[in-house]
Amino acid sequence: MAKTRIIYTCQSCGYQLPKWLGKCPDCNQWNSFVEEKAFEERKGLQVFEGGSSPQPITTLEVKEEDRLKTGIGELDRVLGGGIVLGSAILIGGDPGIGKSTLLLQAMAMLAGNGEKVLYVSGEESPRQTKIRGERLGATSENLFIYAENTLERILDSVKRLKPGILIIDSIQTIYTQALESSPGSVSQVRETSSQLIFNAKGMDMPIFLVGHVTKDGSIAGPRVLEHMVDTVLYFEGERGHQFRILRAVKNRYGSVMEIGVFEMHDKGLEEVTNPSALFLAERPENASGSVVVSSLEGTRPILVEIQSLVCPTIFGIPKRTVVGIDYNRVALLTAVLEKKGGLNIQNHDIFLKVTGGVRLEEPAIDLGIIASLASNFLDKAIPQKTVVFGEVGLAGEVRGISQAEPRINEAEKLGFDKCILPKDNLSKIKGKLEMIGVKSVKEMMDVLF
Ligand code: TYD
Ligand code: MG
């Protein structure tokens, strides 16, 4: 009889070794190796019957991908215009953020339109799901709930039921009997998800996998999971806030810059079609340090408020606390403001925040960050109806940005009457609001203060 081989697998990156180590040589994680029985290796190369043969790219037939619309506009947009048939979508997020709620709502809509949906819940009993479904108004004969953890039984029911779409909530609770390691371990997650995705692709059935996240916010389990799927979505938001943001971080069928905004109510998630108005709703009046910037999230410009506080450092090293923007970027722009804007700001504590729990990454918000810091430092408020955008370089120059026109239109729609933007963009656009083009940080300061 063959002896079963023992291997040790790093639970953080999936690295395998024949002996235990305290520290993973691949990802440097401590104490992450877990003993597992080696998976019986397949002998020889598997040759599939049929399949396709190589073809010149010019003769390939291009078909518009078939997409299923969930009817939840924000979700459809983040997916790139609906769910592509046969695609695998991984959705991650903190516990309790609303992943199950979002999927149940979306699937109820699809089921209502006649699509057969199988919702596999490894975490909640059918009763719990039913109670939640009733609260959300998600009741349809086409929505099948299945509380199951074993891969083999799930695949069996999929083959019998032949659903149009499959939900696995969550992948960390599913295990295959072929492996002896516990559910949620790297090997189990890798094996079960690859089997599920392989089967789903074969049936041209879209599949949603819900994934847990680790303490540092990435999806738990092997990195390979993100390579196996077509789309990775993160559902994020702050616990105390009712806003939730759905963000695509990988999408083979659409843009990854796209975000969807939702609000959590007692009757489930509601989409927010005009996020700018929502983010600006509680803006203080004539407060120094408050500035509205325009950030392009995918195809949609969003107006968001940035606030800052600049206070003299009482003791020790000046402190920088930043929420919603990369910390280093703020440090860099502070240095530019000091040297090129002529403000003695480096020896001050700086607190900077994007309101509404949004995270901004676009370069176009640079000028807004600088305007906010300068405004609070000088204690001079920026006019309420002014929007600021532009990229800032280390020489203090303000550089042109892409897609200025949709940003201007959005600002106009929300009643803004003045816009400070890069001079480079000024000549190329028309707008009804007053537009002031600036070439440097210094010029912007002259205009504003
Ligand atoms: P859930 O979808 O279970 O989160 P996840 O699957 O990401 O872990 O969301 C549960 C949270 O949402 C819970 O804290 C309660 C809240 N909630 C509402 O506020 N209203 C609702 O209608 C529902 C269904 C949930
Ligand atoms: Mg859940």
Side-chain angles (χ1 to χ4, degrees), residues 100 123-124 169:
S100 309
E123 295 181 346
E124 296 173 30
D169 187 2

Side-chain angles (χ1 to χ4, degrees), residues 2-18:
K3 224 171 88 184
T4 39
R5 205 158 57 88
I6 299 285
I7 46 162
Y8 295 86
T9 311
C10 169
Q11 297 302 300
S12 155
C13 68
Y15 193 74
Q16 294 189 322
L17 281 174

Side-chain angles (χ1 to χ4, degrees), residues 94-101 124 132 135-136 264-268:
D94 288 334
I97 204 79
K99 302 179 292 297
S100 309
T101 308
E124 296 173 30
R132 185 203 299 250
R135 191 139 70 100
L136 301 174
M264 182 65 97
H265 288 293
D266 53 347
K267 288 222 163 34

Side-chain angles (χ1 to χ4, degrees), residues 8 21 42 54 126 180 189 235 292 299 317 354 371 424 439 449:
Y8 295 86
L21 276 187
R42 297 187 186 100
E180 288 199 11
V189 169
F235 205 32
V292 174
T299 51
I317 305 165
V354 182
D424 185 50
K439 273 180 101 162
F449 310 110

Side-chain angles (χ1 to χ4, degrees), residues 5 85 125 193 261 295 400:
R5 205 158 57 88
L85 290 187
S125 68
S193 42
V261 184
S295 175

